[in-house]
Amino acid sequence: MINLPKDFEERMQDMLGSAYPAFVHSYEKPKIQALRVNTLKGSVDEFMEKAPFFDKTKIRRVPWENRGFYYNEDMPFGKHPFHEAGVYYIQEPSAMTPVSYLDAKPGERILDLCAAPGGKTTQIASYMKNEGLLLCNEIHPARAKILSENIERMGIQNALVTNETPKRLSEVFGEYFDRILVDAPCSGEGMFRKNEEACSEWSLENVQLCADRQDEILDCADLMLRPGGRLVYSTCTFAPEENEGSVARFLDRHPEYEIVKIAKYEGMSGGRAEWAGDLKAENIEDTIRLFPHLIDGEGHYLAVLQKAGEVPNGYRGFLQNGVQKGIPAKEEKEFLAFQKDYLKRNLLEEKEERLLRFGEQLYLMPQGMPSIHKLKVLRAGLHLGTLKKNRFEPSHALALALTKDEVQYHMELCPNGKKSDMSVINSYLNGQTLTYEGEKGWYLMTYNGYSIGWGKLAGQIMKNHYPKGLRK
């Protein structure tokens, strides 16, 4: 049994009344395990067919995310090669709810303002289908690095990853984004069962500090959302000051917004007017609370907010430094030679110049990417690879973004379709060289059809190009 903070227990008992014993009892249950299939890599049906350890008698879908599945602890999802290939993302089921209500669409401009470690960002990306711009930001450098790594693993091509404050971003982007997700830093009460450290770090003072910080972040988000745009606010806490309170204060400061009435799934509760403080927030009952004694998941809160107004066709919004200028493709002869020799897909088929160089590193920018002048950027679209003397070396990110049908050569690491034989894939993930017969050059390495890295064949020796930092 988790040792809950006394002040937290007293407040929750006051909030829940007769339901409090059931709430406390939920902490005696094991934490819920779930994953979300990455449809950028393949369909859900394809995954169900290929996952040998996926016991269909022991799994069920997450109600609010049709790509999400509950699973048992005895299923080795975190250690399987499918995880390294970005076939799925292990994600707490309640954390899947905000993006399911964001209603992201291909071709839009979307901001995930507090994005690390990347669960919600990668969920948004799956709905965008690599079309449009996904700006994902994280203020803490170490967490921003993890975010960028998860973007790479999931094969996302249209993401701009930044390490900035919300205030700085709001100076660069004026009413620019179609949709914004603010999964705000919070007191983490909803994660007590999953992360006991959150208990020891909790205090009433920290709750208030988080509420004040949320006010600042939401005000920055407002500056960046276009008229008629959608803002989804979420937390993983039960604290009224950070949930109904934050929404009510925001609506008081920004009366041009309204709470959107959204469908609730079984077990979801509505927001409570009496928990909004001294302010009256119209339709606060249309926000959503997730309690662990009512649903299979941890504690969460979300509100869907609509900004008044509309924009004409072709609307762009304010960009402090305009659109990022790319370099002509003809200047990157080494990459063009690699693409001609080893790819079936033309990555540069659009007329606009989308190549960008950082020293020796070459990137393919998202279409119409904003200028990154004076921004701290970790990833500017798809990292294509490294330009070396008279040659181009493809990146791990490019491997994970391609399919076997988009390359000239590939090597399957699941020998003869024997899904139970892990020896070859484990050798590859360990960095060992392999033997193979074929044309010399770059090969996309695949496992059960999913791309997982590069190899380079010379003679009958397949040199291993799986990144050293990822090897087992």
Side-chain angles (χ1 to χ4, degrees):
M1 179 65 186
I2 297 172
N3 186 23
L4 297 171
K6 182 178 179 182
D7 288 337
F8 170 77
E9 288 187 301
E10 291 177 352
R11 192 201 66 208
M12 293 306 299
Q13 190 165 11
D14 182 60
M15 288 174 63
L16 298 177
S18 61
Y20 180 71
F23 171 78
V24 172
H25 180 65
S26 71
Y27 285 92
E28 300 176 9
K29 300 177 181 179
K31 60 185 179 182
I32 305 296
Q33 306 277 0
L35 61 80
R36 177 178 41 77
V37 177
N38 178 16
T39 52
L40 294 178
K41 296 295 182 80
S43 69
V44 171
D45 290 342
E46 182 182 356
F47 168 75
M48 296 279 278
E49 180 183 344
K50 289 183 175 181
F53 49 85
F54 204 52
D55 188 340
K56 298 177 181 62
T57 66
K58 295 182 180 180
I59 59 96
R60 55 197 171 89
R61 288 183 186 264
V62 175
W64 42 84
E65 173 52 83
N66 60 14
R67 304 165 187 186
F69 294 89
Y70 297 101
Y71 68 90
N72 295 337
E73 288 187 8
D74 59 352
M75 298 182 185
F77 284 104
K79 299 179 180 180
H80 195 273
F82 280 0
H83 182 268
E84 308 308 315
V87 178
Y88 51 76
Y89 192 102
I90 295 174
Q91 188 176 21
E92 196 279 313
S94 294
M96 300 180 191
T97 53
V99 173
S100 70
Y101 288 105
L102 186 65
D103 195 26
K105 293 180 172 61
E108 293 184 321
R109 299 187 298 272
I110 299 178
L111 169 63
D112 187 355
L113 189 51
C114 313
K120 295 178 178 67
T121 288
T122 57
Q123 189 180 1
I124 294 170
S126 69
Y127 284 97
M128 295 183 73
K129 300 179 181 179
N130 282 322
E131 298 176 21
L133 173 71
L134 174 57
L135 195 157
C136 28
N137 179 71
E138 173 56 43
I139 191 172
H140 299 289
R143 286 171 54 82
K145 182 180 178 182
I146 295 171
L147 167 65
S148 183
E149 291 169 350
N150 280 321
I151 292 288
E152 176 174 287
R153 182 170 62 88
M154 304 302 275
I156 297 167
Q157 303 175 38
N158 64 326
L160 174 60
V161 183
T162 58
N163 171 216
E164 291 288 354
T165 65
K167 184 178 185 300
R168 171 62 184 141
L169 287 182
S170 70
E171 295 168 352
V172 176
F173 300 94
E175 296 191 330
Y176 178 79
F177 295 100
D178 300 301
R179 302 175 195 273
I180 297 178
L181 173 65
V182 176
D183 185 45
C186 68
S187 55
E189 297 172 0
M191 295 292 109
F192 283 177
R193 178 169 58 171
K194 183 179 178 182
N195 179 13
E196 292 190 37
E197 284 187 14
C199 282
S200 60
E201 296 171 357
W202 182 89
S203 69
L204 290 175
E205 292 77 16
N206 188 45
V207 168
Q208 188 56 53
L209 286 172
C210 289
D212 293 341
R213 185 186 305 124
Q214 289 152 8
D215 289 349
E216 296 174 5
I217 295 173
L218 281 169
D219 285 347
C220 291
D222 163 63
L223 295 172
M224 293 185 279
L225 185 66
R226 69 161 173 84
R230 172 170 288 200
L231 169 62
V232 173
Y233 172 76
S234 64
T235 71
C236 57
T237 189
F238 305 113
E241 301 95 321
E242 302 179 65
N243 293 336
E244 290 93 344
S246 283
V247 172
R249 294 190 303 275
F250 178 75
L251 294 176
D252 185 59
R253 298 191 305 275
H254 303 277
E256 69 274 22
Y257 283 81
E258 63 178 7
I259 296 172
V260 178
K261 183 177 179 62
I262 49 180
K264 296 182 177 69
Y265 292 85
E266 183 178 356
M268 289 183 174
S269 305
R272 299 272 288 273
E274 62 269 30
W275 294 344
D278 297 330
L279 297 172
K280 180 180 179 181
E282 188 174 354
N283 300 324
I284 197 73
E285 68 277 4
D286 289 328
T287 62
I288 290 177
R289 276 184 171 268
L290 303 180
F291 287 104
H293 63 291
L294 297 177
I295 54 105
D296 289 330
E298 307 300 338
H300 232 77
Y301 175 85
L302 72 95
V304 180
L305 305 169
Q306 190 80 20
K307 192 173 187 177
E310 56 184 29
V311 295
N313 291 335
Y315 175 86
R316 296 303 298 174
F318 170 77
L319 290 174
Q320 188 179 64
N321 297 301
V323 175
Q324 180 68 42
K325 185 178 180 180
I327 55 178
K330 63 182 181 181
E331 293 184 8
E332 304 302 339
K333 295 178 181 179
E334 294 84 358
F335 170 73
L336 292 177
F338 169 85
Q339 178 172 256
K340 180 182 178 181
D341 291 341
Y342 300 113
L343 301 187
K344 294 180 181 179
R345 171 186 171 189
N346 182 6
L347 295 169
L348 307 176
E349 57 188 355
E350 296 86 359
K351 293 181 180 179
E352 60 182 302
E353 295 174 347
R354 291 173 55 196
L355 290 178
L356 185 66
R357 283 189 68 165
F358 292 94
E360 295 180 335
Q361 306 307 315
L362 187 66
Y363 282 78
L364 180 66
M365 300 184 291
Q367 290 182 324
M369 190 181 80
S371 170
I372 58 176
H373 180 63
K374 293 187 178 180
L375 284 177
K376 298 175 186 174
V377 174
L378 281 75
R379 188 173 295 270
L382 176 60
H383 181 208
L384 295 175
T386 305
L387 295 157
K388 299 187 176 181
K389 290 183 179 179
N390 300 318
R391 65 186 176 91
F392 174 83
E393 187 168 298
S395 71
H396 188 58
L398 179 58
L400 295 177
L402 293 170
T403 68
K404 64 180 182 179
D405 296 327
E406 295 175 321
V407 297
Q408 296 291 349
Y409 311 122
H410 80 278
M411 176 182 174
E412 174 56 54
L413 298 170
C414 181
N416 303 317
K418 295 180 180 179
K419 297 178 181 179
S420 59
D421 186 350
M422 303 289 287
S423 60
V424 179
I425 181 62
N426 285 339
S427 294
Y428 177 74
L429 295 177
N430 286 332
Q432 298 176 29
T433 57
L434 304 171
T435 58
Y436 191 74
E437 292 186 9
E439 297 291 331
K440 69 176 182 179
W442 288 99
Y443 280 68
L444 185 67
M445 313 300 282
T446 62
Y447 179 73
N448 272 302
Y450 294 113
S451 60
I452 199 165
W454 290 109
K456 193 173 185 181
L457 188 65
Q460 295 183 350
I461 302 299
M462 182 69 75
K463 185 177 179 181
N464 196 317
H465 281 262
Y466 193 69
K468 292 181 180 179
L470 298 177
R471 295 177 183 178
K472 303 300 182 184

